[in-house]
């Protein structure tokens, strides 16, 4: 009986989205929340975003990716998945660090929604001013 393949794991974050990425040696199949990647991301740009780390490291046909993602919107989730895939690829081979770092995939995008301030309508918008 064979031992199960050990996954390469990476956590990715972007805005409020958190992605848990497990890479198994396989044929290039990507599953996100029990659905195919093309079903989950109908927008082509988001689908390309999650493929980018595999393409620049030439590993698109080496791994099957099982991904769970929650929180945030679609664009934030795509960015979180890209970050998680990049981190998981580092566990596979540290040689990819220079390539992924140059593309900016290892840096966590720290931009978050600014909080609403008291006495204001939003983060920056204030009530209308009246002179009289």
């Amino acid at each position: 009986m064979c031992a199960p393949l050990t996954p390469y794991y990476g956590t990715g974050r972007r805005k409020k989205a958190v992605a848990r990425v497990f890479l198994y040696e396989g044929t290039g199949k990507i599953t996100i929340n029990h659905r195919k990647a093309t079903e989950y991301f109908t927008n082509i740009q988001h689908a390309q975003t999650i493929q980018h780390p595999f393409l620049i490291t030439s590993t698109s046909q080496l791994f099957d990716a099982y991904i769970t993602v929650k929180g945030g919107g679609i664009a934030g989730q795509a960015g979180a998945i890209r970050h998680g895939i990049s981190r998981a690829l580092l566990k596979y081979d540290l040689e990819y660090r220079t390539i992924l770092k140059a593309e900016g995939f290892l840096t966590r995008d720290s931009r978050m929604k600014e909080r609403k301030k008291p006495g204001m309508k939003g983060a920056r918008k204030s009530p209308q001013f009246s002179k009289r």
Side-chain angles (χ1 to χ4, degrees):
M1 191 160 216
C2 293
L5 299 172
T6 55
Y8 301 102
Y9 174 76
T11 303
R13 293 184 184 89
R14 168 96 167 79
K15 292 186 177 179
K16 292 283 186 182
V18 179
R20 296 169 48 208
V21 178
F22 298 91
L23 297 181
Y24 297 93
E25 293 182 10
T27 58
K29 189 173 68 171
I30 298 176
T31 307
I32 304 169
N33 291 350
H34 304 289
R35 298 196 317 214
K36 292 180 183 174
T38 53
E39 292 174 12
Y40 194 82
F41 291 117
T42 54
N43 188 337
I44 297 166
Q45 188 174 7
H46 298 316
Q48 289 173 343
T49 299
I50 65 171
Q51 288 285 342
H52 208 158
F54 290 128
L55 295 176
I56 64 169
T57 56
S58 303
T59 55
S60 57
Q61 301 301 315
L62 288 179
F63 296 107
D64 287 341
Y66 176 74
I67 302 163
T68 57
V69 63
K70 61 182 179 180
I74 296 296
Q77 288 184 354
I81 290 171
R82 183 180 73 178
H83 188 222
I85 289 172
S86 301
R87 283 183 164 187
L89 284 172
L90 279 187
K91 299 276 174 68
Y92 171 69
D93 190 1
L94 279 173
E95 301 278 322
Y96 295 142
R97 183 168 186 83
T98 54
I99 301 167
L100 294 168
K101 188 76 172 172
E103 290 288 327
F105 294 165
L106 297 178
T107 306
R108 198 255 196 234
D109 194 348
S110 61
R111 294 177 294 174
M112 298 289 279
K113 184 177 177 180
E114 192 174 340
R115 77 174 194 89
K116 181 192 173 300
K117 279 41 165 229
M120 301 183 91
K121 292 179 177 282
R124 303 268 174 119
K125 187 175 181 181
S126 56
Q128 188 174 6
F129 177 72
S130 173
K131 267 190 176 177
R132 288 165 196 71

